[in-house]
Each structure stands twice: as structure tokens, then as C-alpha cells.
Amino acid sequence: MSNEKKKDFEPKDIQHGIWNKETISEIDYKAQYGQHRIRGCGATRYMPTFNDIMILPSQLSRLSLDTYRESCETKTILGKRGASKPLEIETPIMIAGMSYGALSKEAKIALAKATALTGTVISNGEGGLLPEERQYSYRQSIQILPSRFGFSKRSLEAADMLEFLVGIGAKPGLSGHLMGSKISEEIAEARQLPVGIDLHSHPRHGDAFGADDMVVKMEQLRELTNGEVPIFAKIAAGRVRDDVKIAVKVGADGIILDGAQGGTGAAPVMATNHLGIPTMPALVQAVRTLEEMGMKNEISIIVSGGITDGSDLAKALAIGADAVAIGTGAMVAMGCRVCLRCHNGKCAFGIGTQDPELRQRLDIEEAAERVANYIKAMTAEAVLLAKAAGKTKLRNLEREDLRTLTLEACAMTGIPLVGSNFVFGERFGFEC
Amino acid sequence: MEYIDAANLKSIELNKEIINKLKQCGEVTIQNPHSMHNVATGLPDPGKVIIQGSTGFYTGGFMEGTALLVEGNAGWYAGDNMMEGELLISKNTGCNAGTYLYGGNIVVYGNTGSRVGYGMKGGTIIVCGSAGPWAGQMTMGGKLIILGKAGSKVGESMYKGAIFVRDPEAGDKMGSNVFLDSIKADEEQELKDLFARYDITADPAEFKVVRPMQTGRHTYVLFNPDLKPELSRKMPG
């Protein structure tokens, strides 16, 4: 064959290795602008998930429940350690903190209405409490953030639950980001900011510099809320063992643990892809730590970051969580297609935008119904799995009902591999 | 005038007692505070409270309408998240006095530590002595007045509000994203009224004002290499 003919039949090399199109486009961006890149949503890289776990069904060894005719309780009580009025919700799925600012007013109202349709709680996020959100929500969680945008004593009075936010999974160790395209006059007024400024909010709590101060701060918050409202510490998953111990020490009623798959309206790509640890191993570590401290029954755990369906919920509960929080999933239910462009404020679906025209594209009632349907379906999925495992209460799912599919998940969780009683790594209560 | 001996009370008990006494007579004196934390947390009513001695962290936090006088020093975070009222401290405070202040007036007659007025959103803080570094960092409103020396990085990345400084060297200690401006006539009058109200001797005309840049963009500390090309060992020519 001639050389020319050989050239025609040359196989096409596709770069799957380091120098792929993504790497090259990243370098192009840095070469152009000389700074790190910011975008919306969470990590795009592979991380281990609850999909690496299977649930064991009941067969001869135990009885299953009738999927369609027998009930399985989903009511959930959160924060009963020190609060005289723990939070009671109908399903262990809460709407995670997404700010008014990152989201449009219409999206926030739709999410709040969805909680009223399903009997759950919504977190306000960083931008203060939108009056309509409080008006329509079933239960309201209020975040206490380092920036305190729109926060005052009135916020505490509106809270059915408080979250003392230390970090989020999408950008742990970093402050809030809200790009100028979203700081409209309305948002600027709510946050007391100049219109159109690129916001990188306060990095640390100005009224609690460390764990010892937080003990005193927690007493202050308890006094201000008459000891009624459960107070959670929201932490990004990193040094989970140490952070959980500190949260217990400072007197929190619960922990919201946000894994590295958690999303946000805007964050440096470096942070979303390279900071923190994934949700599943983080949850195991938190549960293990609380059990070692003898505090597992006192401290509630809400886990978030990459929760998509009822199997994630069921597996998280089985590992030891009391509830999960959904953010991106709820946005997808409203129409979001996870284009990762939340930061530019031009969301075509009227969700992550402050543009008056784009906002009109979101039908609040329809979006609320879709989010409520999603929560109902997720709950039903988890209930289906729980009944198949023979549980009359969703919270009765336990780690003994689980097996891991991969060596990696086995080593991370301490749950035996499928088809075996074999465990690698740190123990998690299994006799092997 | 009612008296409360705080020696054997927890802060939550003391605060309840203060609220009860204020309802009865409108003026309460606290004895033996022993640098207790969380004194006067969220006091909701007008009235006057005098603390004979020093207090710990979070003095008068979230207070709403009461006039509180600390005859001594106050620890970190004095007047944090205060909504309304007055917090007067006769001596010094630790760091982060008036952090997230929402409204009302705080007067520190002595010196204050770092980050006074961190993230404040309204109200007024007057420091009669000197302030530590990062005063008024990332404020979103209100007035911070420093009569003595200002620390470094004053006004770092303010969004809104104004910091009044008398320190002649303040211009060399500015944080990023702020500029030093002249005081306006109406501001002079406001300061004059405040000084008269709190028995402070100072001439408002001597003050300059640190204000936030209105460019719509902040500059950040990311990577700024300290380049010294002249130290290269390149051969001449």
C-alpha cells in the first residue's frame, strides 16, 4: 500500500488522557484572563456516591411489607438534643439553603410553596429572608452566615430551625460568591450592597472566631430563641471527625453535613472540584464519631451534596443520617438543566437570575408543584426500598441492610462488599 | 433604682432579672458582674442598666432599646448584632466590638481591639481611644468614628457606610477598595451632635472620612509577585 493510501486509513487518536479538550480549554481561559475561573453548580469530576451501595431485601430471613397497602412512617423529628420545640417534618427531605439573589424571587417562592405541599422545611440561604418565602413555607430554617446579609433579631424570631453556617460543600473554606450580574436593585437593597458589585462575602463569622467562642455564642442564641428552636451547625465535609466533635462540644442540636458534591450559585472551579470530601464517606465518618462519643441518639444529622433520588435518601438514613437536603435536585425539578452557568445571571429558566424578563419564564405554581412531586416521589422511592427491607418506619433502615458494590466504597464506609462479610479499612459496626 | 447582685447568677438568670426590674422601675444597677459573658443579651425594652465592673464576651448582643453602661472593660464582640439603644463602655474593649451592628450607638471611651464594626449594617460606633487593625472591615452601613490612632487596613473592602478618622497617619493605613475623603458639612454637624450627647471633646472639622470605592469592582489579594529583575545574574549586554 502506498504511503498516501496509508494516511487515508490512519486511525483517529482521541485524547482521553491529561491533554483532553477540557484541560486545554481551562488553560486557554487562564492564559486569557490570568485568574481562576468561577462558575455555578458543584463538582463535575467523578466522586464515589451512594450508588456504590446496594440495599438488602427481606426474603426468608425477614418479612417485607406490602409496597402498596401497608404504611411506612416518614415523619421526622430533628434537633431534639437541646431545643424544647424540635422540628417536626413529614418527610426527611429538606430544601437546602439557596439564597435569594442566587435564585430569583419566583424560584424561592416556588420552593417555599413546595414545602407547604409536602410538609417539610426550607432554608433561606445567604441573602436574608424573603418575606414571601416565610409566608409560603411550611417550616423555615434560617441560616446564620458570616456575611449576615439581611439578618437581624427579626430573623431569629422567624426561625423554626437555625443553621450556624461554617461552610458549604461546593466551596468549603471560602466565602459566598454572587456575581454583579445578579446584584439587581432589589437584591442590593436586601443585602445592603452597591448595585452590580461582584460580591465575595465575609470570610469568617465576626462574632465567633473559634470553638470556645462558639460555646458562648450558642448560649446567646439559645437565650434569644427561648431555648425552643433547634440549632444546627452546617459544615462542609473535610475534617469531619474533628468538626463533628467540636459541633457537639459547642452545644449544637444537629449537624448539616455538606459533601463535596454540593452545589452553589457561583464558586471557583478549583474549590468545587478539589476541596472537601464526598458525601457518602463524610456521613460514615460523622456517624462513627457520634457513636464513639455516645451522642448518636442526641445529635441529628442532615446530609447533603449530590442527593438525587429515594435510594440516596434510603441509604443515607441507613448509614445514620436523620434527613437529607436537596438543592440542585430541587432546581432540576423546576426546570434547571445544570448548565453550570448560574453565575452569569442569565438562567433561561428564570431560576438562577434576577433579570425581570427571564424571571417571568418561571411559572411559580407549576414549579412548586413539580418540586413537591419530586419530594413526594423521592419519599415514595425510599419508602418502597424500606418496605422491601421490612421496615415500618423509614428511619428504621440500618447499616446492616447495606452492602457495598466496590472495594473503594467498602473501604470508605466499612460496610461489607456484596456477597461477603468482608470489610476493608476502618470498622463501622460489622462483625467480620 | 434597683440593684442586682450578679455574683451567683448565670447570665440567662441575670438577664431575666434585668428585664423584670426594668419593667418595675426603668433603671437597674448590676453589681459583681465578674466579667460574665452574654450580659444583657437581647434586652428588649427601653430603660437604663449600669454594670459596675467589667464584662466578658457579647455584652449587650442583640440588645433592642436599652441604654447600657459598662463601668469597666468589655470583652470580645461587645454589642454584636445590636438592634437599637446605647452601649457605653467606660474603658476598653476586646476585638470585634459592634460586629454586625444593626442600629443604635456604641461608645468606647477607651481603646478597642481589632475589627471594630466588622460587617456593621447601621448605627454608630465611637471609639474615643485607638482602634486595632481592620477597623470597619466589610461594613455595609452605619458610621464608625475613631478619635485616636487607627490600626492598619482601616475600612478594608467596605461596601457602604463611613469611617471617620482623626489619625493624621490614617491615609497610610488604609485597607483595599476604600479612599480617604473630606468630611461634609452635614457629617460635621452629625459628629458635633454625637460628641455633645456623649460628652466627648473633639472638633469634627479635624476628621477625614474613609469611604468605599464606587467602582463596582473590588480588587483582591490573589497573586502579586514581588518582581526584582535587577537581581538577575544575566551577563551584561
Side-chain angles (χ1 to χ4, degrees):
Chain A
M1 192 180 286
S2 69
N3 280 345
E4 273 189 18
K5 280 220 164 184
K6 260 188 184 172
K7 206 173 173 184
D8 289 344
F9 289 106
E10 193 86 26
K12 188 169 184 175
D13 289 315
I14 297 171
Q15 182 56 270
H16 293 290
I18 292 172
W19 302 106
N20 56 45
K21 284 184 179 173
E22 195 179 355
T23 309
I24 290 166
S25 65
E26 279 285 348
I27 292 175
D28 280 344
Y29 179 89
K30 281 170 267 201
Q32 178 76 25
Y33 298 106
Q35 62 184 36
H36 58 257
R37 188 163 67 89
I38 288 173
R39 63 155 169 75
C41 299
T44 49
R45 62 182 291 174
Y46 164 78
M47 288 192 200
T49 69
F50 290 111
N51 274 339
D52 299 330
I53 291 177
M54 296 295 285
I55 297 172
L56 302 183
S58 54
Q59 292 296 292
L60 288 175
S61 60
R62 58 204 66 197
L63 288 174
S64 61
L65 268 71
D66 185 324
T67 310
Y68 298 107
R69 294 168 199 85
E70 288 172 320
S71 63
C72 175
E73 192 182 301
T74 60
K75 194 182 284 290
T76 303
I77 298 172
L78 299 170
K80 53 195 173 195
R81 179 192 189 188
S84 65
K85 291 184 181 170
L87 183 71
E88 191 173 314
I89 49 178
E90 296 303 309
T91 174
I93 304 170
M94 77 175 282
I95 303 282
M98 294 180 281
S99 76
Y100 168 48
L103 298 193
S104 65
K105 181 185 280 191
E106 290 73 14
K108 288 294 282 178
I109 293 172
L111 291 171
K113 288 191 166 190
T115 64
L117 293 169
T118 50
T120 190
V121 59
I122 182 171
S123 174
N124 68 326
E126 184 166 35
L129 178 59
L130 186 67
E132 291 90 337
E133 179 180 335
R134 180 68 192 108
Q135 181 187 346
Y136 293 116
S137 63
Y138 179 71
R139 297 287 183 271
Q140 186 70 51
S141 183
I142 299 286
Q143 291 191 336
I144 304 174
L145 295 111
S147 63
R148 306 292 163 91
F149 295 130
F151 175 86
S152 75
K153 201 173 168 189
R154 301 288 87 82
S155 312
L156 296 177
E157 291 161 3
D160 298 305
M161 162 177 159
L162 287 171
E163 301 169 40
F164 198 85
L165 189 144
V166 182
I168 65 169
K171 45 188 170 184
L174 279 71
S175 59
H177 291 54
L178 189 66
M179 299 299 99
S181 55
K182 285 184 168 179
I183 312 267
S184 62
E185 282 189 19
E186 231 176 340
I187 299 300
E189 191 185 337
R191 299 189 180 210
Q192 290 187 244
L193 291 171
V195 174
I197 196 165
D198 274 345
L199 172 66
H200 299 286
S201 62
H202 303 64
R204 292 177 292 269
H205 284 278
D207 54 0
F209 272 0
D212 291 334
D213 299 8
M214 274 186 72
V215 173
V216 187
K217 187 75 194 169
M218 194 64 78
E219 287 170 3
Q220 183 201 51
L221 293 171
R222 289 263 184 236
E223 187 174 342
L224 289 163
T225 54
N226 299 317
E228 294 174 348
V229 179
I231 306 174
F232 280 66
K234 179 166 182 177
I235 54 175
R239 292 184 175 84
V240 175
R241 192 180 184 78
D242 297 338
D243 292 337
V244 164
K245 283 183 176 177
I246 290 170
V248 172
K249 178 201 161 182
V250 303
D253 298 316
I255 294 155
I256 301 177
L257 187 62
D258 199 16
Q261 296 102 316
T264 184
V269 177
M270 280 295 107
T272 58
N273 279 345
H274 300 284
L275 283 174
I277 68 170
T279 306
M280 177 181 67
L283 174 60
V284 170
Q285 206 173 11
V287 172
R288 195 183 269 139
T289 306
L290 288 177
E291 285 179 350
E292 285 169 11
M293 297 175 81
M295 297 298 286
K296 179 65 186 76
N297 292 331
E298 289 199 41
I299 307 284
S300 303
I301 301 178
I302 302 171
V303 70
S304 57
I307 304 294
T308 62
D309 64 16
S311 75
D312 290 340
L313 168 60
K315 292 166 190 173
L317 295 187
I319 288 173
D322 296 278
V324 300
I326 52 168
T328 308
M331 292 207 304
V332 170
M334 287 194 286
C336 162
R337 300 294 89 173
V338 197
C339 70
L340 314 180
R341 296 284 176 271
C342 320
H343 62 294
N344 68 17
K346 293 174 185 162
C347 175
F349 306 101
I351 300 166
T353 181
Q354 301 305 325
D355 183 311
E357 283 183 21
L358 294 173
R359 282 169 45 192
Q360 284 180 9
R361 294 184 185 176
L362 189 74
D363 182 320
I364 293 175
E365 299 307 324
E366 187 187 345
E369 196 177 332
R370 286 179 61 85
V371 175
N373 283 344
Y374 174 50
I375 293 172
K376 286 177 191 171
M378 257 184 84
T379 309
E381 285 176 338
V383 161
L384 179 146
L385 294 169
K387 286 178 180 173
K391 312 296 180 188
T392 55
K393 293 172 182 167
L394 204 45
R395 65 174 177 275
N396 285 355
L397 282 162
E398 54 191 328
R399 78 190 67 152
E400 198 279 321
D401 298 317
L402 305 178
R403 289 295 182 274
T404 46
L405 271 176
T406 64
L407 285 177
E408 180 185 70
C410 172
M412 273 187 282
T413 61
I415 296 169
L417 268 174
V418 284
S420 81
N421 284 323
F422 199 76
V423 175
F424 294 93
E426 214 172 334
R427 288 287 178 266
F428 192 36
F430 286 90
E431 295 298 327
C432 303
Chain B
M1 168 79 79
E2 292 273 348
Y3 288 84
I4 302 172
D5 186 346
N8 296 312
L9 296 177
K10 291 179 181 172
S11 62
I12 191 166
E13 296 166 341
L14 171 63
N15 296 337
K16 276 182 186 159
E17 192 66 13
I18 294 172
I19 291 169
N20 288 338
K21 299 272 188 196
L22 279 182
K23 279 180 183 156
Q24 289 165 21
C25 75
E27 191 166 338
V28 183
T29 295
I30 317 295
Q31 296 168 319
N32 302 312
H34 296 317
S35 299
M36 188 188 291
H37 300 320
N38 284 333
V39 172
T41 292
L43 293 183
D45 303 315
K48 188 172 181 184
V49 178
I50 299 165
I51 301 175
Q52 292 180 338
S54 297
T55 55
F57 289 6
Y58 305 108
T59 305
F62 288 90
M63 205 167 61
E64 198 165 9
T66 311
L68 178 66
L69 169 62
V70 178
E71 293 179 341
N73 302 305
W76 293 13
Y77 319 120
D80 76 293
N81 297 281
M82 207 171 100
M83 301 286 291
E84 276 183 68
E86 277 178 0
L87 171 60
L88 312 183
I89 297 150
S90 70
K91 292 184 180 174
N92 307 313
T93 77
C95 70
N96 289 49
T99 190
Y100 304 128
L101 182 70
Y102 195 87
N105 296 336
I106 297 177
V107 183
V108 181
Y109 285 95
N111 303 314
T112 195
S114 60
R115 292 184 172 84
V116 56
Y118 177 90
M120 63 189 284
K121 295 177 269 191
T124 300
I125 303 173
I126 305 174
V127 181
C128 296
S130 299
W134 303 87
Q137 183 185 358
M138 298 174 89
T139 61
M140 294 169 275
K143 289 188 285 290
L144 171 60
I145 304 162
I146 302 168
L147 277 72
K149 293 273 184 194
S152 60
K153 300 277 182 187
V154 61
E156 172 64 42
S157 297
M158 297 170 69
Y159 292 114
K160 286 185 174 178
I163 304 176
F164 299 84
V165 286
R166 196 166 59 165
D167 182 351
E169 295 169 5
D172 300 327
K173 303 175 187 173
M174 308 272 283
S176 304
N177 307 306
V178 292
F179 69 100
L180 198 59
D181 193 15
S182 305
I183 190 165
K184 294 173 185 164
D186 59 330
E187 291 172 329
E188 268 193 49
Q189 188 57 47
E190 276 183 77
L191 262 59
K192 193 176 169 188
D193 295 344
L194 282 165
F195 292 161
R197 181 171 172 183
Y198 293 111
D199 294 325
I200 295 167
T201 307
D203 179 2
E206 293 175 359
F207 285 77
K208 290 200 166 185
V209 191
V210 182
R211 301 188 201 276
M213 290 281 196
Q214 294 298 321
T215 57
R217 293 287 180 274
H218 279 185
T219 56
Y220 302 107
V221 181
L222 295 174
F223 171 56
N224 299 305
D226 182 14
L227 302 178
K228 291 173 182 161
E230 70 279 7
L231 297 181
S232 166
R233 295 182 62 182
K234 283 176 191 162
M235 296 294 284

